[in-house]
Amino acid sequence: MVHRLTLTALPGIPLVEPGDDLASLALRALAQAEVRLEEGDALVFAQKIVSKSEGRLVDLATVSPSARAEEVGRQAEKDPRVIELILGESAQVVRVRPGVVIVEHRLGFVCANAGVDHSNVRGPSGQTGEWVLLLPRDPDASAAELRDRLVRAAGVTSLAVVINDSHGRAWRNGTVGVALGVAGLPALLDLRGRPDLFDRMLQVTQVGLADEIAAAASALMGQADEGRPVIHVRGIPYPLREGTAAELIREKSLDLFR
């Protein structure tokens, strides 16, 4: 039997502005690509277009840094206004080094700079200013809303949505796509109790399925000027179910490094 996972970068997605309807944009792009949504498909949306559509843009001219932001800014050699936004998005500062601030984000994961980003960011409708972009307030809720809209429009019942962002890793160079928001997909796939090739029961195997799909989609999305922020995925080799990215956050009691 041939098993195939197919990823298609959807064409024609414009530069997204606050208030834009991402579900409608994705449906038009699917039609342009001559792809019809089927049961078991998934769509992966780049975090930036989700954040932009939700108005998560901030003009640094409107930010007044606190004394704490000034202090961390000196340590990190970063603009204290950016640091103020990072602190506002964080539950805890984990490490500070020149050029980077590692935090526990308010959503629970550990990342650099709380996801506050300058790249590929401009003001609404081209407004002047020094604009940065924050992560969605609730990526799981954003994914669920997109999924509901797409399910109703396409007439399917089994459809997944993943919101993807690029994260670095503590012991490896290079960024990789990870799932910030998930709907309609087991973000964490528990294979414990299944047999291996030699009928030995798996004891500890859990697969970050949503992260694997996000990483695959990220290879097509690119990181610079590619302009491919929505990826269609077909052939996920596991049954879909309801899930959230929160499944991927390791409990602190099980974290051996903090």
Coordinates of all heavy atoms in Angstrom, one line a residue, residues 132-224:
V132 N 5.4 46.4 15.4 CA 5.8 45.0 15.8 C 4.5 44.2 15.9 O 3.4 44.8 16.0 CB 6.6 44.9 17.0 CG1 8.0 45.6 16.9 CG2 5.9 45.5 18.2
L133 N 4.7 42.9 15.9 CA 3.5 42.0 15.9 C 3.6 41.1 17.1 O 4.6 40.5 17.3 CB 3.5 41.2 14.6 CG 2.2 40.4 14.3 CD1 1.0 41.4 14.1 CD2 2.4 39.6 13.0
L134 N 2.5 40.9 17.8 CA 2.4 40.0 18.9 C 1.7 38.7 18.4 O 1.0 38.7 17.4 CB 1.6 40.6 20.1 CG 2.0 42.0 20.5 CD1 1.2 42.4 21.7 CD2 3.5 42.1 20.8
L135 N 1.9 37.7 19.2 CA 1.2 36.4 18.9 C -0.3 36.6 19.2 O -0.8 37.5 19.9 CB 1.7 35.3 19.8 CG 3.2 34.9 19.6 CD1 3.5 33.7 20.5 CD2 3.6 34.7 18.2
P136 N -1.2 35.7 18.6 CA -2.6 35.8 18.9 C -2.9 35.6 20.4 O -2.1 35.0 21.1 CB -3.2 34.6 18.1 CG -2.2 34.3 17.0 CD -0.8 34.7 17.6
R137 N -3.9 36.3 20.8 CA -4.3 36.2 22.2 C -4.6 34.7 22.7 O -4.2 34.3 23.7 CB -5.5 37.1 22.6 CG -5.2 38.5 22.4 CD -6.4 39.4 23.0 NE -6.2 40.8 22.7 CZ -5.4 41.6 23.4 NH1 -4.8 41.1 24.5 NH2 -5.3 42.9 23.1
D138 N -5.3 34.0 21.8 CA -5.7 32.6 22.1 C -5.6 31.8 20.8 O -6.6 31.7 20.1 CB -7.1 32.6 22.7 CG -7.5 31.2 23.2 OD1 -6.9 30.2 22.8 OD2 -8.5 31.2 24.0
P139 N -4.4 31.3 20.5 CA -4.3 30.6 19.2 C -5.2 29.4 19.0 O -5.7 29.1 17.9 CB -2.8 30.2 19.2 CG -2.2 31.1 20.1 CD -3.2 31.4 21.2
D140 N -5.5 28.7 20.1 CA -6.4 27.5 20.0 C -7.8 28.0 19.6 O -8.5 27.4 18.8 CB -6.5 26.7 21.3 CG -5.3 25.8 21.5 OD1 -4.8 25.3 20.4 OD2 -4.9 25.5 22.6
A141 N -8.3 29.1 20.3 CA -9.6 29.6 19.9 C -9.6 30.2 18.5 O -10.6 30.0 17.8 CB -10.0 30.8 20.9
S142 N -8.5 30.8 18.1 CA -8.4 31.3 16.7 C -8.5 30.1 15.7 O -9.2 30.2 14.7 CB -7.1 32.0 16.5 OG -7.0 33.1 17.3
A143 N -7.8 29.0 16.0 CA -7.9 27.8 15.1 C -9.3 27.2 15.1 O -9.8 26.8 14.0 CB -6.9 26.8 15.6
A144 N -9.9 27.2 16.3 CA -11.3 26.6 16.3 C -12.3 27.4 15.5 O -13.1 26.9 14.8 CB -11.7 26.5 17.8
E145 N -12.1 28.8 15.6 CA -13.0 29.6 14.8 C -12.8 29.4 13.3 O -13.8 29.3 12.6 CB -12.8 31.1 15.2 CG -13.8 32.0 14.5 CD -13.6 33.5 14.9 OE1 -12.8 33.7 15.9 OE2 -14.2 34.4 14.3
L146 N -11.6 29.4 12.9 CA -11.3 29.2 11.5 C -11.8 27.8 11.0 O -12.4 27.7 10.0 CB -9.8 29.2 11.2 CG -9.2 30.6 11.2 CD1 -7.6 30.5 11.2 CD2 -9.6 31.3 9.9
R147 N -11.6 26.8 11.9 CA -12.1 25.4 11.5 C -13.6 25.5 11.3 O -14.2 24.9 10.4 CB -11.7 24.4 12.5 CG -12.2 23.0 12.3 CD -11.9 22.1 13.4 NE -12.4 20.8 13.2 CZ -13.7 20.4 13.4 NH1 -14.5 21.2 14.0 NH2 -14.1 19.2 13.2
D148 N -14.3 26.1 12.3 CA -15.8 26.1 12.2 C -16.3 26.8 10.9 O -17.2 26.3 10.3 CB -16.4 26.8 13.4 CG -16.2 26.0 14.7 OD1 -15.9 24.8 14.6 OD2 -16.4 26.6 15.8
R149 N -15.6 27.9 10.6 CA -16.0 28.6 9.4 C -15.8 27.7 8.1 O -16.6 27.7 7.2 CB -15.2 29.9 9.2 CG -15.5 31.0 10.3 CD -16.8 31.8 9.9 NE -16.8 32.2 8.5 CZ -16.1 33.2 8.0 NH1 -15.3 33.9 8.8 NH2 -16.1 33.5 6.7
L150 N -14.6 27.1 8.1 CA -14.3 26.3 6.9 C -15.2 25.0 6.8 O -15.6 24.6 5.7 CB -12.8 25.9 7.0 CG -11.8 27.0 6.8 CD1 -10.4 26.6 7.3 CD2 -11.8 27.5 5.4
V151 N -15.5 24.4 8.0 CA -16.4 23.2 8.0 C -17.7 23.6 7.4 O -18.3 22.8 6.6 CB -16.5 22.6 9.4 CG1 -17.7 21.7 9.5 CG2 -15.2 21.9 9.7
R152 N -18.3 24.7 7.8 CA -19.6 25.1 7.4 C -19.6 25.4 5.9 O -20.5 25.0 5.1 CB -20.1 26.3 8.1 CG -20.5 26.0 9.6 CD -21.3 27.1 10.2 NE -20.6 28.4 10.2 CZ -19.8 28.8 11.2 NH1 -19.7 28.1 12.3 NH2 -19.3 30.0 11.1
A153 N -18.5 26.1 5.4 CA -18.4 26.5 4.0 C -18.2 25.3 3.1 O -18.7 25.2 2.0 CB -17.3 27.5 3.8
A154 N -17.4 24.3 3.6 CA -17.0 23.2 2.7 C -17.9 22.0 2.8 O -17.8 21.1 1.9 CB -15.5 22.8 3.0
G155 N -18.7 21.9 3.8 CA -19.6 20.8 4.0 C -18.9 19.5 4.4 O -19.4 18.4 4.1
V156 N -17.8 19.6 5.1 CA -17.1 18.5 5.6 C -17.2 18.5 7.1 O -17.6 19.5 7.7 CB -15.6 18.5 5.2 CG1 -15.4 18.4 3.7 CG2 -14.9 19.7 5.8
T157 N -17.0 17.3 7.7 CA -17.1 17.2 9.2 C -15.8 17.0 9.9 O -15.6 17.3 11.1 CB -18.1 16.1 9.6 OG1 -17.6 14.8 9.1 CG2 -19.5 16.4 9.1
S158 N -14.8 16.4 9.2 CA -13.5 16.1 9.7 C -12.5 17.0 9.1 O -12.0 16.6 8.0 CB -13.2 14.6 9.6 OG -12.0 14.3 10.1
L159 N -12.1 18.0 9.7 CA -11.1 19.0 9.1 C -10.3 19.6 10.3 O -10.8 19.8 11.4 CB -11.9 20.1 8.4 CG -11.0 21.2 7.8 CD1 -10.3 20.7 6.5 CD2 -11.8 22.5 7.5
A160 N -9.0 19.7 10.0 CA -8.1 20.3 11.1 C -7.6 21.6 10.6 O -7.4 21.9 9.5 CB -7.0 19.3 11.3
V161 N -7.3 22.5 11.6 CA -6.6 23.7 11.4 C -5.4 23.8 12.4 O -5.6 23.5 13.6 CB -7.5 24.9 11.6 CG1 -6.7 26.2 11.7 CG2 -8.5 25.0 10.5
V162 N -4.3 24.2 11.9 CA -3.1 24.4 12.7 C -2.6 25.8 12.5 O -2.5 26.3 11.3 CB -2.0 23.4 12.4 CG1 -0.7 23.7 13.1 CG2 -2.4 22.0 12.7
I163 N -2.3 26.5 13.5 CA -1.6 27.8 13.4 C -0.2 27.6 13.7 O 0.2 27.1 14.8 CB -2.3 28.9 14.3 CG1 -3.7 29.1 13.9 CG2 -1.5 30.2 14.3 CD1 -4.5 30.0 14.9
N164 N 0.7 28.0 12.8 CA 2.1 27.6 12.8 C 3.0 28.9 13.1 O 2.7 30.0 12.6 CB 2.4 27.0 11.4 CG 3.9 26.9 11.2 OD1 4.6 26.3 12.0 ND2 4.4 27.4 10.1
D165 N 4.0 28.7 13.9 CA 5.0 29.7 14.1 C 6.4 29.1 14.1 O 6.5 27.8 14.2 CB 4.8 30.4 15.5 CG 5.6 31.7 15.6 OD1 6.0 32.2 14.6 OD2 5.7 32.2 16.7
S166 N 7.4 29.9 13.9 CA 8.8 29.4 13.9 C 9.5 29.6 15.2 O 9.5 30.7 15.7 CB 9.6 30.1 12.8 OG 9.1 29.8 11.5
H167 N 10.0 28.5 15.8 CA 10.7 28.6 17.1 C 12.1 28.0 17.0 O 12.3 27.1 16.2 CB 9.9 27.7 18.1 CG 8.7 28.5 18.7 ND1 8.1 28.1 19.9 CD2 8.0 29.5 18.3 CE1 7.1 28.9 20.2 NE2 7.0 29.8 19.2
G168 N 13.0 28.6 17.7 CA 14.3 28.0 17.9 C 14.2 26.8 18.9 O 13.2 26.6 19.6
R169 N 15.3 26.1 19.0 CA 15.4 25.0 19.9 C 16.7 25.1 20.8 O 17.7 25.5 20.3 CB 15.4 23.6 19.2 CG 14.1 23.5 18.4 CD 14.2 22.5 17.2 NE 15.2 23.0 16.2 CZ 15.7 22.3 15.3 NH1 15.4 21.0 15.2 NH2 16.5 22.9 14.4
A170 N 16.6 24.7 22.0 CA 17.6 25.0 23.0 C 19.0 24.3 22.6 O 20.0 24.9 22.8 CB 17.2 24.5 24.4
W171 N 18.9 23.1 22.0 CA 20.2 22.4 21.8 C 20.4 22.1 20.3 O 21.3 21.4 19.9 CB 20.2 21.0 22.5 CG 20.2 21.3 24.0 CD1 21.3 21.6 24.8 CD2 19.1 21.2 24.9 NE1 20.9 21.7 26.1 CE2 19.6 21.5 26.2 CE3 17.7 20.9 24.7 CZ2 18.8 21.5 27.3 CZ3 16.9 21.0 25.9 CH2 17.4 21.2 27.1
R172 N 19.7 22.8 19.4 CA 19.9 22.6 18.0 C 19.8 24.0 17.3 O 19.1 24.9 17.7 CB 18.9 21.7 17.4 CG 19.0 20.3 17.9 CD 17.9 19.4 17.4 NE 18.1 19.1 16.0 CZ 18.9 18.0 15.6 NH1 19.5 17.2 16.5 NH2 19.0 17.7 14.3
N173 N 20.7 24.2 16.2 CA 20.6 25.4 15.5 C 19.4 25.4 14.5 O 19.0 24.3 14.1 CB 21.9 25.6 14.7 CG 23.1 25.8 15.5 OD1 23.0 26.5 16.5 ND2 24.2 25.3 15.1
G174 N 18.9 26.6 14.2 CA 17.9 26.7 13.2 C 16.5 26.7 13.8 O 16.2 26.1 14.8
T175 N 15.6 27.4 13.2 CA 14.2 27.5 13.6 C 13.4 26.4 12.9 O 13.8 25.8 11.9 CB 13.5 28.8 13.3 OG1 13.5 29.0 11.9 CG2 14.3 30.0 14.0
V176 N 12.3 26.0 13.5 CA 11.4 25.0 12.9 C 10.0 25.3 13.2 O 9.7 26.0 14.3 CB 11.8 23.6 13.5 CG1 11.5 23.5 15.0 CG2 11.1 22.5 12.7
G177 N 9.1 25.0 12.4 CA 7.7 25.3 12.6 C 7.1 24.5 13.7 O 7.4 23.3 13.9
V178 N 6.3 25.1 14.6 CA 5.6 24.5 15.7 C 4.2 24.9 15.7 O 3.9 26.0 15.1 CB 6.3 24.8 17.1 CG1 7.7 24.3 17.1 CG2 6.2 26.2 17.4
A179 N 3.3 24.2 16.3 CA 1.9 24.5 16.4 C 1.6 25.4 17.6 O 1.8 25.0 18.7 CB 1.1 23.2 16.5
L180 N 1.1 26.6 17.3 CA 0.7 27.5 18.4 C -0.8 27.3 18.7 O -1.2 27.4 19.8 CB 0.9 28.9 18.0 CG 2.3 29.5 17.9 CD1 2.1 31.0 17.7 CD2 3.0 29.3 19.2
G181 N -1.6 27.0 17.7 CA -3.0 26.7 17.8 C -3.4 25.5 17.0 O -2.9 25.3 15.9
V182 N -4.4 24.8 17.6 CA -4.8 23.5 16.9 C -6.3 23.4 17.1 O -6.8 23.7 18.2 CB -4.1 22.3 17.5 CG1 -4.6 21.0 17.0 CG2 -2.6 22.4 17.3
A183 N -7.0 22.9 16.1 CA -8.4 22.5 16.2 C -8.6 21.3 15.3 O -8.1 21.3 14.1 CB -9.3 23.7 15.8
G184 N -9.4 20.3 15.8 CA -9.7 19.2 14.9 C -8.6 18.2 14.7 O -8.7 17.4 13.8
L185 N -7.6 18.2 15.5 CA -6.4 17.4 15.3 C -5.8 17.0 16.7 O -5.8 17.8 17.6 CB -5.4 18.1 14.5 CG -4.1 17.4 14.2 CD1 -4.2 16.5 13.0 CD2 -3.0 18.5 13.9
P186 N -5.4 15.7 16.8 CA -4.7 15.3 18.1 C -3.3 16.0 18.1 O -2.4 15.5 17.4 CB -4.6 13.8 18.0 CG -4.7 13.5 16.6 CD -5.6 14.5 15.9
A187 N -3.2 17.1 18.8 CA -1.9 17.8 18.9 C -0.8 16.8 19.4 O 0.3 16.8 18.9 CB -2.0 19.0 19.7
L188 N -1.2 16.0 20.4 CA -0.3 15.1 21.0 C -0.9 13.7 20.8 O -2.0 13.4 21.3 CB -0.1 15.3 22.5 CG 0.9 14.4 23.2 CD1 2.3 14.8 22.7 CD2 0.8 14.6 24.7
L189 N -0.2 12.8 20.0 CA -0.7 11.5 19.7 C -0.1 10.5 20.6 O 1.2 10.3 20.6 CB -0.3 11.2 18.2 CG -1.0 10.0 17.6 CD1 -2.5 10.1 17.5 CD2 -0.4 9.7 16.3
D190 N -0.9 9.8 21.4 CA -0.4 8.9 22.4 C -0.4 7.5 21.8 O -1.4 6.9 21.5 CB -1.3 8.9 23.7 CG -0.7 8.2 24.8 OD1 0.3 7.4 24.6 OD2 -1.2 8.3 25.9
L191 N 0.8 7.0 21.6 CA 1.0 5.6 21.0 C 1.3 4.6 22.0 O 1.5 3.4 21.6 CB 2.1 5.6 19.9 CG 1.8 6.6 18.7 CD1 3.0 6.5 17.7 CD2 0.5 6.4 18.1
R192 N 1.2 4.9 23.3 CA 1.5 3.9 24.3 C 0.5 2.8 24.2 O -0.7 3.0 24.1 CB 1.5 4.6 25.7 CG 2.7 5.5 25.9 CD 2.6 6.3 27.2 NE 1.5 7.2 27.2 CZ 1.2 8.0 28.2 NH1 1.9 8.0 29.3 NH2 0.1 8.8 28.1
G193 N 1.0 1.6 24.3 CA 0.1 0.4 24.2 C -0.1 -0.2 22.9 O -0.6 -1.3 22.7
R194 N 0.4 0.5 21.8 CA 0.4 0.0 20.5 C 1.6 -0.9 20.3 O 2.7 -0.7 20.8 CB 0.4 1.1 19.4 CG -0.8 2.0 19.5 CD -0.9 2.8 18.2 NE -2.0 3.7 18.2 CZ -2.4 4.5 17.2 NH1 -1.7 4.4 16.1 NH2 -3.4 5.3 17.3
P195 N 1.5 -1.9 19.4 CA 2.7 -2.8 19.2 C 3.6 -2.2 18.2 O 3.2 -1.5 17.3 CB 2.0 -4.1 18.6 CG 0.8 -3.6 17.9 CD 0.3 -2.4 18.8
D196 N 4.9 -2.5 18.4 CA 5.9 -2.2 17.4 C 6.0 -3.3 16.3 O 5.1 -4.2 16.3 CB 7.3 -1.9 18.0 CG 7.9 -3.1 18.6 OD1 7.4 -4.3 18.4 OD2 9.0 -2.9 19.3
L197 N 7.0 -3.3 15.5 CA 7.0 -4.3 14.4 C 7.2 -5.7 14.9 O 6.9 -6.7 14.3 CB 8.2 -4.0 13.5 CG 8.1 -2.8 12.5 CD1 9.4 -2.5 11.8 CD2 6.9 -3.0 11.6
F198 N 7.7 -5.8 16.2 CA 8.0 -7.1 16.8 C 7.0 -7.4 17.9 O 7.3 -8.2 18.8 CB 9.4 -7.2 17.2 CG 10.4 -6.9 16.1 CD1 11.0 -5.6 16.1 CD2 10.7 -7.8 15.1 CE1 11.9 -5.3 15.0 CE2 11.5 -7.5 14.1 CZ 12.1 -6.2 14.1
D199 N 5.8 -6.8 17.9 CA 4.8 -7.0 18.9 C 5.1 -6.6 20.3 O 4.5 -7.1 21.2 CB 4.3 -8.5 18.8 CG 3.5 -8.7 17.5 OD1 2.8 -7.8 17.1 OD2 3.5 -9.8 17.0
R200 N 6.1 -5.8 20.5 CA 6.4 -5.3 21.8 C 5.6 -4.0 22.0 O 5.5 -3.2 21.1 CB 7.9 -4.9 22.0 CG 8.8 -6.2 22.0 CD 10.2 -5.7 22.4 NE 10.9 -5.0 21.3 CZ 11.7 -5.6 20.4 NH1 12.0 -6.9 20.5 NH2 12.2 -4.9 19.5
M201 N 4.9 -3.9 23.2 CA 4.1 -2.7 23.4 C 4.9 -1.5 23.6 O 5.9 -1.5 24.4 CB 3.2 -3.0 24.6 CG 2.2 -4.1 24.4 SD 1.0 -3.8 23.1 CE 1.6 -4.9 21.8
L202 N 4.5 -0.4 23.0 CA 5.2 0.9 23.2 C 4.9 1.4 24.6 O 3.7 1.3 25.0 CB 4.8 1.9 22.2 CG 5.1 1.6 20.7 CD1 4.5 2.6 19.8 CD2 6.6 1.4 20.5
Q203 N 5.9 1.8 25.3 CA 5.7 2.2 26.7 C 5.6 3.7 26.9 O 4.9 4.2 27.8 CB 6.9 1.6 27.5 CG 7.0 0.1 27.5 CD 5.8 -0.6 28.1 OE1 5.3 -0.2 29.2 NE2 5.3 -1.6 27.5
V204 N 6.4 4.5 26.1 CA 6.5 5.9 26.4 C 6.2 6.8 25.2 O 6.3 8.0 25.3 CB 7.9 6.3 27.0 CG1 8.1 5.6 28.3 CG2 9.0 5.9 26.0
T205 N 6.0 6.2 24.0 CA 5.9 7.0 22.8 C 4.7 7.9 22.7 O 3.6 7.4 22.6 CB 6.0 6.1 21.6 OG1 7.1 5.2 21.7 CG2 6.1 6.8 20.3
Q206 N 5.0 9.2 22.7 CA 4.0 10.2 22.4 C 4.5 11.1 21.2 O 5.7 11.5 21.3 CB 3.6 11.0 23.6 CG 3.0 10.3 24.7 CD 2.7 11.1 25.9 OE1 3.6 11.7 26.5 NE2 1.5 11.3 26.3
V207 N 3.7 11.3 20.2 CA 4.1 12.0 19.0 C 3.5 13.4 19.0 O 2.3 13.6 19.2 CB 3.8 11.3 17.8 CG1 4.1 12.1 16.5 CG2 4.4 9.9 17.7
G208 N 4.3 14.4 18.8 CA 3.8 15.8 18.7 C 3.3 16.0 17.3 O 3.9 16.7 16.4
L209 N 2.2 15.4 17.0 CA 1.7 15.3 15.6 C 1.4 16.7 15.0 O 1.8 17.0 13.9 CB 0.4 14.5 15.5 CG -0.3 14.4 14.1 CD1 0.6 13.7 13.2 CD2 -1.6 13.7 14.3
A210 N 0.9 17.6 15.8 CA 0.6 19.0 15.3 C 1.9 19.7 15.0 O 2.0 20.5 14.0 CB -0.2 19.8 16.3
D211 N 2.9 19.5 15.8 CA 4.2 20.1 15.5 C 4.9 19.5 14.2 O 5.5 20.2 13.5 CB 5.2 19.9 16.7 CG 5.0 20.9 17.8 OD1 4.3 21.9 17.6 OD2 5.5 20.6 18.9
E212 N 4.7 18.2 14.0 CA 5.2 17.6 12.8 C 4.5 18.2 11.6 O 5.2 18.5 10.6 CB 5.0 16.1 12.9 CG 5.9 15.4 13.9 CD 5.8 13.9 13.7 OE1 4.8 13.3 13.4 OE2 6.9 13.2 14.0
I213 N 3.2 18.4 11.6 CA 2.5 19.0 10.5 C 2.9 20.4 10.3 O 3.1 20.9 9.2 CB 1.0 18.8 10.7 CG1 0.6 17.3 10.6 CG2 0.2 19.7 9.7 CD1 -0.8 17.1 11.1
A214 N 3.1 21.1 11.4 CA 3.5 22.5 11.3 C 4.9 22.6 10.7 O 5.2 23.5 9.9 CB 3.5 23.2 12.7
A215 N 5.8 21.8 11.1 CA 7.2 21.8 10.5 C 7.2 21.5 9.0 O 7.9 22.1 8.3 CB 8.1 20.8 11.3
A216 N 6.4 20.5 8.6 CA 6.3 20.2 7.2 C 5.7 21.4 6.4 O 6.2 21.7 5.4 CB 5.4 19.0 7.0
A217 N 4.7 22.0 7.0 CA 4.1 23.2 6.3 C 5.1 24.3 6.2 O 5.2 25.1 5.3 CB 2.8 23.6 7.0
S218 N 5.9 24.5 7.3 CA 6.8 25.6 7.4 C 7.9 25.5 6.3 O 8.3 26.5 5.8 CB 7.5 25.6 8.7 OG 8.4 26.7 8.9
A219 N 8.2 24.3 5.9 CA 9.2 24.1 4.8 C 8.7 24.8 3.5 O 9.4 25.3 2.7 CB 9.5 22.6 4.5
L220 N 7.3 24.7 3.3 CA 6.7 25.4 2.1 C 6.5 26.9 2.3 O 6.7 27.7 1.4 CB 5.4 24.7 1.7 CG 5.4 23.5 0.8 CD1 4.0 23.1 0.5 CD2 6.1 23.9 -0.5
M221 N 6.1 27.2 3.5 CA 5.8 28.6 3.8 C 7.1 29.5 3.6 O 7.0 30.6 3.1 CB 5.3 28.8 5.3 CG 3.9 28.4 5.5 SD 3.5 28.6 7.2 CE 1.7 28.1 7.2
G222 N 8.2 29.0 4.1 CA 9.4 29.8 4.0 C 9.5 30.8 5.2 O 8.6 30.9 6.0
Q223 N 10.6 31.6 5.2 CA 10.8 32.5 6.3 C 11.1 34.0 5.9 O 11.2 34.8 6.7 CB 12.1 32.0 7.1 CG 12.0 30.7 7.7 CD 11.0 30.6 8.8 OE1 10.8 31.6 9.5 NE2 10.4 29.5 9.0
A224 N 11.1 34.2 4.6 CA 11.5 35.5 4.1 C 10.4 36.2 3.3 O 9.3 36.5 3.8 CB 12.8 35.4 3.3

